[in-house]
Amino acid sequence: MKIDYSNLKLDRLNDYEQKALNAFDALMDGSGEGSDFIGWIDRPNDYDRKEFERIKKAAAKIQSDSDVLVSIGIGGSYLGIKAVDVALDKYFDSDRKVKLIYAGNQLSGQYMTELLEYLKDKDYSLNVISKSGTTTEPAIAFRFLRESLEEKYGKEEAKSRIYATTDKKKGALKDLANKEGYESFIVPDDIGGRFSVISAVGLLPLAACGIDIDEFMAGFADGRNKYTKRDFKNNEAIKYAAIRNMLYENGKDIEVLVNYEPKLKYIAEWWKQLFAESEGKDGKGIFPVSVNNTTDLHSLGQMIQAGKRNLFETVIEIENPLKDIEIKEDSENLDGLNYLAGKSVNYVNKQAMEGTTIAHVKGDIPNLRIIVDKIDARNLAELFYFFEIAVGVGGYMLEVNPFNQPGVEEYKSQMFKLLGKPGYENK
């Protein structure tokens, strides 16, 4: 992974070096707020090998008896998984042994009804992911899906098809798993949801659909080796955090994550949660948004090019796409594309990226580029770790706790009051 800063003015970056290093020190030595939730930093080296092997065995069982695994979770128990799943799957006819389907990440009655109908003629298993077991969306989904599974297979066989990823010791889901005998895996106490794809939360469903989790963990180890060094010049995660802080203090309070490969759409969705939940506190924070180009150049492109000048772009470039196709000459040339004959679609895509960058930089949109060699499990894991270190450093530079999310509780209180949940009458 490389970073291209050529479209940024970095003459003031040195002014942010000490601030960034102080924030990095607070992250690494555990002296900053929220340090109870930095277990992900050393996780690439100190993960539970026995649980890792159990995950592989459970994944093999799912592959042997199921066409579909329904992953039930929301937020960090959903987005990281789907980001890797979508990025590494084929666009159309998947050749995976097990199809991953998601539930519990929204409250659509139509979605649930159609999901239950879809599963009627499928062999399937459930992986319910919730530390407490009482989060509204996954709890509702699990209630429906568990009932459907028991009706299809009977209560005893259904138990062997339910995998609970939950708290090690307590909570409603842990109690149910103990009572019913579900195989269970741990949501770590020291890793928050948006960082948890490195744990059983992400590893079990990803392994079940055939992703090489050894390579995935190796990518996190690559990231740890690169991005935990106290080196402002060469540690790109520290530098990225400093650049973001510099731009923020110069009025650039919206960051647009840009990709030119549709497979990266859910990487951006995970990234938005990571930065929004980590930085958006105390009236502070860079608002994270994303675009999928070239598609969105025909919609949001106008706003980015000529709207309010309070944003900057971070572009993820895939240097070596796995597949490509050449444009051939057409004898009639009615579409006027013969000037592209002999060039590939990816070549055209790269020129669109370069042209867009030039136009946006001219329009006062600072632009930095993260260059990833190719989309595979190892590179994606390194990219995740890069962003995680950067958001920890960036949060401390903003003087907020990057590892809590107190703002999400207010909507829940108001929703529960409207739903008539006991104890919320006077909220």
Side-chain angles (χ1 to χ4, degrees), residues 372-385:
V372 179
D373 173 36
K374 60 184 177 181
I375 300 175
D376 62 19
R378 191 160 185 161
N379 284 328
L380 290 179
E382 182 187 333
L383 182 65
F384 276 37
Y385 197 90

PDB file of all heavy atoms in Angstrom, residues 372-385:
ATOM      1  N   VAL A 372      -3.573   0.719  -3.591  1.00  0.00           N
ATOM      2  CA  VAL A 372      -3.539  -0.678  -3.162  1.00  0.00           C
ATOM      3  C   VAL A 372      -3.192  -1.533  -4.370  1.00  0.00           C
ATOM      4  O   VAL A 372      -3.765  -1.354  -5.449  1.00  0.00           O
ATOM      5  CB  VAL A 372      -4.902  -1.100  -2.568  1.00  0.00           C
ATOM      6  CG1 VAL A 372      -4.887  -2.564  -2.135  1.00  0.00           C
ATOM      7  CG2 VAL A 372      -5.269  -0.198  -1.392  1.00  0.00           C
ATOM      8  N   ASP A 373      -2.275  -2.465  -4.192  1.00  0.00           N
ATOM      9  CA  ASP A 373      -1.816  -3.289  -5.309  1.00  0.00           C
ATOM     10  C   ASP A 373      -2.970  -4.023  -5.982  1.00  0.00           C
ATOM     11  O   ASP A 373      -3.206  -3.872  -7.185  1.00  0.00           O
ATOM     12  CB  ASP A 373      -0.771  -4.288  -4.801  1.00  0.00           C
ATOM     13  CG  ASP A 373      -0.360  -5.298  -5.858  1.00  0.00           C
ATOM     14  OD1 ASP A 373      -0.288  -4.913  -7.038  1.00  0.00           O
ATOM     15  OD2 ASP A 373      -0.120  -6.466  -5.517  1.00  0.00           O
ATOM     16  N   LYS A 374      -3.717  -4.814  -5.217  1.00  0.00           N
ATOM     17  CA  LYS A 374      -4.851  -5.560  -5.763  1.00  0.00           C
ATOM     18  C   LYS A 374      -5.823  -5.859  -4.631  1.00  0.00           C
ATOM     19  O   LYS A 374      -5.486  -5.752  -3.451  1.00  0.00           O
ATOM     20  CB  LYS A 374      -4.393  -6.861  -6.425  1.00  0.00           C
ATOM     21  CG  LYS A 374      -3.686  -7.812  -5.485  1.00  0.00           C
ATOM     22  CD  LYS A 374      -3.170  -9.042  -6.226  1.00  0.00           C
ATOM     23  CE  LYS A 374      -2.398  -9.967  -5.286  1.00  0.00           C
ATOM     24  NZ  LYS A 374      -1.863 -11.157  -5.988  1.00  0.00           N
ATOM     25  N   ILE A 375      -7.038  -6.233  -4.998  1.00  0.00           N
ATOM     26  CA  ILE A 375      -8.056  -6.550  -4.000  1.00  0.00           C
ATOM     27  C   ILE A 375      -7.920  -8.016  -3.620  1.00  0.00           C
ATOM     28  O   ILE A 375      -8.264  -8.909  -4.397  1.00  0.00           O
ATOM     29  CB  ILE A 375      -9.472  -6.267  -4.544  1.00  0.00           C
ATOM     30  CG1 ILE A 375      -9.628  -4.793  -4.928  1.00  0.00           C
ATOM     31  CG2 ILE A 375     -10.525  -6.645  -3.504  1.00  0.00           C
ATOM     32  CD1 ILE A 375     -10.953  -4.471  -5.590  1.00  0.00           C
ATOM     33  N   ASP A 376      -7.379  -8.254  -2.435  1.00  0.00           N
ATOM     34  CA  ASP A 376      -7.363  -9.599  -1.880  1.00  0.00           C
ATOM     35  C   ASP A 376      -7.463  -9.492  -0.355  1.00  0.00           C
ATOM     36  O   ASP A 376      -7.454  -8.387   0.204  1.00  0.00           O
ATOM     37  CB  ASP A 376      -6.136 -10.396  -2.320  1.00  0.00           C
ATOM     38  CG  ASP A 376      -4.805  -9.794  -1.876  1.00  0.00           C
ATOM     39  OD1 ASP A 376      -4.797  -8.962  -0.939  1.00  0.00           O
ATOM     40  OD2 ASP A 376      -3.768 -10.159  -2.447  1.00  0.00           O
ATOM     41  N   ALA A 377      -7.585 -10.637   0.302  1.00  0.00           N
ATOM     42  CA  ALA A 377      -7.837 -10.632   1.746  1.00  0.00           C
ATOM     43  C   ALA A 377      -6.719  -9.935   2.506  1.00  0.00           C
ATOM     44  O   ALA A 377      -6.969  -9.184   3.460  1.00  0.00           O
ATOM     45  CB  ALA A 377      -8.016 -12.066   2.237  1.00  0.00           C
ATOM     46  N   ARG A 378      -5.497 -10.171   2.113  1.00  0.00           N
ATOM     47  CA  ARG A 378      -4.356  -9.616   2.836  1.00  0.00           C
ATOM     48  C   ARG A 378      -4.293  -8.092   2.695  1.00  0.00           C
ATOM     49  O   ARG A 378      -4.093  -7.368   3.673  1.00  0.00           O
ATOM     50  CB  ARG A 378      -3.066 -10.264   2.343  1.00  0.00           C
ATOM     51  CG  ARG A 378      -1.860  -9.957   3.200  1.00  0.00           C
ATOM     52  CD  ARG A 378      -0.752 -10.962   2.982  1.00  0.00           C
ATOM     53  NE  ARG A 378       0.359 -10.727   3.882  1.00  0.00           N
ATOM     54  CZ  ARG A 378       1.288 -11.640   4.164  1.00  0.00           C
ATOM     55  NH1 ARG A 378       1.222 -12.849   3.626  1.00  0.00           N
ATOM     56  NH2 ARG A 378       2.279 -11.352   4.983  1.00  0.00           N
ATOM     57  N   ASN A 379      -4.473  -7.606   1.492  1.00  0.00           N
ATOM     58  CA  ASN A 379      -4.432  -6.157   1.281  1.00  0.00           C
ATOM     59  C   ASN A 379      -5.594  -5.446   1.974  1.00  0.00           C
ATOM     60  O   ASN A 379      -5.425  -4.347   2.509  1.00  0.00           O
ATOM     61  CB  ASN A 379      -4.444  -5.844  -0.214  1.00  0.00           C
ATOM     62  CG  ASN A 379      -3.106  -6.091  -0.872  1.00  0.00           C
ATOM     63  OD1 ASN A 379      -2.060  -5.933  -0.247  1.00  0.00           O
ATOM     64  ND2 ASN A 379      -3.124  -6.480  -2.131  1.00  0.00           N
ATOM     65  N   LEU A 380      -6.775  -6.059   1.936  1.00  0.00           N
ATOM     66  CA  LEU A 380      -7.917  -5.434   2.609  1.00  0.00           C
ATOM     67  C   LEU A 380      -7.689  -5.326   4.106  1.00  0.00           C
ATOM     68  O   LEU A 380      -8.014  -4.309   4.725  1.00  0.00           O
ATOM     69  CB  LEU A 380      -9.194  -6.227   2.326  1.00  0.00           C
ATOM     70  CG  LEU A 380      -9.751  -6.162   0.902  1.00  0.00           C
ATOM     71  CD1 LEU A 380     -11.010  -7.015   0.795  1.00  0.00           C
ATOM     72  CD2 LEU A 380     -10.046  -4.727   0.485  1.00  0.00           C
ATOM     73  N   ALA A 381      -7.128  -6.364   4.703  1.00  0.00           N
ATOM     74  CA  ALA A 381      -6.876  -6.324   6.142  1.00  0.00           C
ATOM     75  C   ALA A 381      -5.862  -5.233   6.494  1.00  0.00           C
ATOM     76  O   ALA A 381      -6.030  -4.507   7.480  1.00  0.00           O
ATOM     77  CB  ALA A 381      -6.385  -7.684   6.625  1.00  0.00           C
ATOM     78  N   GLU A 382      -4.826  -5.096   5.679  1.00  0.00           N
ATOM     79  CA  GLU A 382      -3.864  -4.018   5.931  1.00  0.00           C
ATOM     80  C   GLU A 382      -4.533  -2.654   5.813  1.00  0.00           C
ATOM     81  O   GLU A 382      -4.274  -1.743   6.611  1.00  0.00           O
ATOM     82  CB  GLU A 382      -2.682  -4.096   4.963  1.00  0.00           C
ATOM     83  CG  GLU A 382      -1.649  -3.019   5.250  1.00  0.00           C
ATOM     84  CD  GLU A 382      -0.533  -2.939   4.224  1.00  0.00           C
ATOM     85  OE1 GLU A 382      -0.227  -3.955   3.584  1.00  0.00           O
ATOM     86  OE2 GLU A 382       0.041  -1.831   4.071  1.00  0.00           O
ATOM     87  N   LEU A 383      -5.409  -2.505   4.819  1.00  0.00           N
ATOM     88  CA  LEU A 383      -6.128  -1.244   4.647  1.00  0.00           C
ATOM     89  C   LEU A 383      -6.992  -0.949   5.870  1.00  0.00           C
ATOM     90  O   LEU A 383      -7.035   0.189   6.356  1.00  0.00           O
ATOM     91  CB  LEU A 383      -6.987  -1.311   3.387  1.00  0.00           C
ATOM     92  CG  LEU A 383      -7.781  -0.068   3.015  1.00  0.00           C
ATOM     93  CD1 LEU A 383      -6.851   1.090   2.661  1.00  0.00           C
ATOM     94  CD2 LEU A 383      -8.723  -0.348   1.844  1.00  0.00           C
ATOM     95  N   PHE A 384      -7.679  -1.957   6.387  1.00  0.00           N
ATOM     96  CA  PHE A 384      -8.483  -1.783   7.595  1.00  0.00           C
ATOM     97  C   PHE A 384      -7.605  -1.287   8.743  1.00  0.00           C
ATOM     98  O   PHE A 384      -7.967  -0.342   9.461  1.00  0.00           O
ATOM     99  CB  PHE A 384      -9.130  -3.114   7.996  1.00  0.00           C
ATOM    100  CG  PHE A 384     -10.417  -3.429   7.295  1.00  0.00           C
ATOM    101  CD1 PHE A 384     -10.616  -3.115   5.972  1.00  0.00           C
ATOM    102  CD2 PHE A 384     -11.434  -4.078   7.968  1.00  0.00           C
ATOM    103  CE1 PHE A 384     -11.804  -3.422   5.330  1.00  0.00           C
ATOM    104  CE2 PHE A 384     -12.627  -4.386   7.341  1.00  0.00           C
ATOM    105  CZ  PHE A 384     -12.813  -4.061   6.012  1.00  0.00           C
ATOM    106  N   TYR A 385      -6.470  -1.945   8.934  1.00  0.00           N
ATOM    107  CA  TYR A 385      -5.610  -1.589  10.066  1.00  0.00           C
ATOM    108  C   TYR A 385      -5.059  -0.173   9.917  1.00  0.00           C
ATOM    109  O   TYR A 385      -4.972   0.587  10.882  1.00  0.00           O
ATOM    110  CB  TYR A 385      -4.468  -2.609  10.189  1.00  0.00           C
ATOM    111  CG  TYR A 385      -3.784  -2.578  11.536  1.00  0.00           C
ATOM    112  CD1 TYR A 385      -4.227  -3.382  12.581  1.00  0.00           C
ATOM    113  CD2 TYR A 385      -2.697  -1.744  11.775  1.00  0.00           C
ATOM    114  CE1 TYR A 385      -3.611  -3.358  13.822  1.00  0.00           C
ATOM    115  CE2 TYR A 385      -2.072  -1.702  13.014  1.00  0.00           C
ATOM    116  CZ  TYR A 385      -2.535  -2.519  14.027  1.00  0.00           C
ATOM    117  OH  TYR A 385      -1.924  -2.474  15.265  1.00  0.00           O
TER     118      TYR A 385
END
